[in-house]
């Protein structure tokens, strides 16, 4: 093998190793310190590890994969229940907000939610004030922010965000116009339309989890006889 080719392969391997190291460190920071922004976690991880090469920075989907692995290895006893609690809370909130046709999004839907995760919902109204009025009428205090989302690779806009807490869990509602039901915003993780789930879909998801758990317990009981 020519010396130049050997050097090129070695450099490529080093970049790949650093990508993995940065992804794993970013996942640790997100899991242990509650960092929710992939870009921020990636930059902080690279700084901690002294990785300066932009090519060695992982893509968001690589960090999400590392986060799943981190949770499997280090939070197997706690993360599934934290996720379950948030999915059950999502169902209650979606029933409460049913007139706004809510959709579950983010970590609670994707299965990576932990103790730092809010229950994130998209709600739909052509009157941006309507959701806030509804919350106030039902005695739910909230804070407001804005969030920039991309409708396509070229088009983006800011939308109102309402933040509140219920049963010691944080909720995050992004208020979108009604026609946004037809086309989900672009996901920051994989650059594809964001996955969203209706109330019925989340209820089915929980029922399937219950069925799998019952199945597991029956098999375990049979094995112990």
């Amino acid at each position: 093998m020519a010396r130049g080719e050997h050097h090129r392969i070695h450099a490529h391997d080093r970049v790949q190793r650093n990508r993995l190291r940065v992804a794993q460190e970013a996942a640790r920071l997100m899991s242990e310190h509650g960092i929710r922004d992939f870009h921020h976690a990636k930059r902080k991880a690279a700084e901690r590890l002294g990785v300066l090469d932009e090519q060695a920075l992982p893509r968001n989907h690589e960090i999400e994969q590392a986060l799943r692995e981190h949770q499997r290895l280090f939070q197997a006893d706690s993360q599934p229940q934290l996720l379950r609690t948030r999915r059950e809370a999502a169902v209650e909130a979606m029933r409460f907000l049913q007139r706004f046709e809510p959709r579950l999004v983010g970590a609670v839907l994707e299965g990576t939610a932990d103790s730092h995760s809010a229950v994130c919902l998209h709600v739909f109204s052509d009157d941006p004030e309507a959701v806030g009025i509804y919350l106030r009428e039902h005695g739910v205090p909230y804070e407001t922010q804005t969030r920039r989302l991309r409708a396509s690779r070229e088009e983006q806009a800011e939308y109102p965000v309402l933040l509140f807490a219920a049963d010691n869990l944080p909720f995050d509602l992004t208020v979108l116009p009604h026609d946004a039901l037809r086309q989900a915003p672009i996901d920051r993780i994989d650059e594809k339309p964001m996955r969203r789930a209706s109330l019925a879909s989340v209820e089915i998801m929980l029922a399937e989890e219950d069925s799998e758990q019952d199945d597991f317990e029956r098999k375990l009981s049979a094995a112990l006889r």
Side-chain angles (χ1 to χ4, degrees):
M1 182 185 296
R3 179 178 297 178
E5 180 68 9
H6 176 78
H7 177 75
R8 188 188 66 78
I9 293 173
H10 180 71
H12 174 76
D13 288 347
R14 183 173 65 249
V15 167
Q16 293 305 111
R17 285 196 302 272
N18 281 337
R19 284 174 74 97
L20 179 59
R21 290 173 62 222
V22 172
Q24 290 173 336
E25 176 64 7
R28 187 189 69 79
L29 291 171
M30 295 181 78
S31 183
E32 296 179 9
H33 297 276
I35 298 174
R36 296 294 92 185
D37 182 84
F38 281 80
H39 181 76
H40 178 53
K42 173 167 47 181
R43 291 291 176 184
K44 194 171 184 66
E47 180 183 342
R48 282 174 173 248
L49 297 172
V51 175
L52 305 177
D53 184 358
E54 288 289 323
Q55 290 185 323
L57 297 183
R59 298 179 69 87
N60 289 345
H61 71 86
E62 294 175 273
I63 298 173
E64 185 185 49
Q65 183 178 350
L67 178 60
R68 292 181 188 279
E69 183 66 8
H70 182 92
Q71 290 175 339
R72 186 184 70 80
L73 291 174
F74 301 107
Q75 298 177 321
D77 293 336
S78 59
Q79 191 269 339
Q81 184 55 50
L82 292 168
L83 173 62
R84 173 76 186 200
T85 298
R86 281 156 177 75
R87 284 179 171 172
E88 290 174 346
V91 165
E92 294 302 313
M94 294 171 83
R95 288 172 179 162
F96 171 65
L97 294 162
Q98 200 157 4
R99 67 168 64 179
F100 301 107
E101 301 182 70
R103 298 292 187 270
L104 179 63
V105 299
V108 176
L109 175 60
E110 299 299 338
T112 56
D114 57 25
S115 61
H116 304 289
S117 300
V119 177
C120 296
L121 302 174
H122 286 180
V123 291
F124 301 88
S125 174
D126 289 329
D127 176 7
E129 301 292 327
V131 182
I133 291 171
Y134 181 77
L135 292 179
R136 287 196 299 273
E137 287 176 347
H138 288 81
V140 180
Y142 63 88
E143 298 177 7
T144 59
Q145 294 180 359
T146 59
R147 173 169 294 131
R148 187 171 291 275
L149 295 175
R150 288 188 295 155
S152 67
R153 295 184 185 277
E154 298 79 26
E155 184 184 355
Q156 57 181 324
E158 283 196 346
Y159 300 96
V161 176
L162 309 182
L163 306 174
F164 65 91
D167 295 329
N168 296 315
L169 292 177
F171 288 80
D172 177 313
L173 311 183
T174 303
V175 184
L176 299 165
H178 203 266
D179 63 7
L181 268 168
R182 295 197 301 269
Q183 179 64 41
I186 300 297
D187 197 306
R188 61 194 173 135
I189 295 175
D190 59 10
E191 301 294 315
K192 296 178 181 178
M194 190 179 294
R195 285 186 66 227
R196 304 192 292 197
S198 66
L199 171 59
S201 296
V202 181
E203 289 174 331
I204 290 170
M205 186 187 306
L206 288 174
E208 288 175 347
E209 289 175 1
D210 288 340
S211 176
E212 289 173 5
Q213 181 63 28
D214 289 345
D215 236 13
F216 171 78
E217 289 176 359
R218 278 196 297 270
K219 289 176 182 177
L220 180 62
S221 176
L224 294 174
R225 285 174 189 164

